[in-house]
Amino acid sequence: MRIDSIKNGIVIDHIAAGKAKEVYDALDLGKLDCQVAIIMNCRSNKMGKKDIIKIDNDFDVDLDVLGYIDPNITVSIIKNGETVEKKKLQLPEKIINVAKCKNPRCITSVERDLDQVFYLANREKRIYRCYYCESKAEKKD
C-alpha cells in the first residue's frame, strides 16, 4: 500500500493500534476541508502495530486532547515536505470539555453550559477527577 507524503500539514504518529478513530473524533477532523488519511494497524518496530493520521493542511492540534488519549502519541509539523517540528506529548494537568462527568448530582449535569473541567489527580494511574465534584473522568461517548 502506498500513502503519499504531505507537503504542508501534520502527521499524528505512534497512535496505539485501533485508536485512530478515537483521535479523529476527539479532534473533530471530519469538519476539516482537506485530505485526512487514517492508516491503521501498520507495522512498527517500536510498538508492533500502530495507527497514523496525516492531515494535508495546517491545523491547530489540541495537544491536551491527544495527551489525554495517549501521551505516547507524537505530532510532526510538515512544511515544504520536511519535518520542521516534532512534538512529544505528556498528560495535561487540566482538560476542558474532553471528558464528561457521569455524576448525576454534579453541577455540570444541571448547568448545561458549564465547561467539563478535570484535573490530573494521579499521574501514574492516569486518573482525572472532576473539578466540581471529584468524580473520576470518563471519556465522552
Side-chain angles (χ1 to χ4, degrees):
M1 177 184 301
R2 179 176 163 81
I3 305 293
D4 291 334
S5 60
I6 57 177
K7 290 284 185 196
N8 295 295
I10 296 168
V11 176
I12 304 171
D13 199 357
H14 301 105
I15 303 168
K19 292 279 191 180
K21 180 71 169 118
E22 180 181 350
V23 171
Y24 182 91
D25 291 340
L27 295 177
D28 283 331
L29 297 180
K31 294 180 180 178
L32 295 179
D33 188 25
C34 64
Q35 293 182 26
V36 177
I38 298 175
I39 305 144
M40 298 183 75
N41 295 316
C42 59
R43 278 180 248 131
S44 167
N45 292 333
K46 182 175 157 185
M47 300 173 68
K49 287 184 178 181
K50 67 178 180 177
D51 293 353
I52 302 170
I53 297 177
K54 292 185 175 188
I55 305 165
D56 193 23
N57 197 352
D58 199 10
F59 171 67
D60 189 21
V61 175
D62 189 336
L63 299 177
D64 286 345
V65 170
L66 291 177
Y68 174 68
I69 292 170
D70 184 354
N72 297 313
I73 292 173
T74 57
V75 177
S76 298
I77 309 299
I78 312 297
K79 302 280 186 202
N80 298 317
E82 299 291 324
T83 301
V84 296
E85 186 178 2
K86 193 172 222 174
K87 300 179 182 190
K88 297 236 182 230
L89 304 179
Q90 58 186 357
L91 289 172
E93 293 297 321
K94 178 171 74 171
I95 55 173
I96 300 171
N97 298 326
V98 177
K100 183 169 175 43
C101 186
K102 297 292 186 182
N103 180 357
R105 290 180 280 172
C106 182
I107 187 133
T108 59
S109 296
V110 178
E111 300 288 332
R112 299 285 180 201
D113 294 332
L114 193 62
D115 284 334
Q116 298 275 335
V117 181
F118 290 83
Y119 68 92
L120 182 59
N122 186 317
R123 184 171 297 280
E124 290 77 34
K125 294 182 180 179
R126 296 176 59 184
I127 295 174
Y128 284 84
R129 297 217 172 261
C130 177
Y131 176 78
Y132 306 103
C133 73
E134 296 288 320
S135 291
K136 191 174 171 183
E138 295 189 25
K139 293 183 182 170
K140 283 185 177 179
D141 297 330

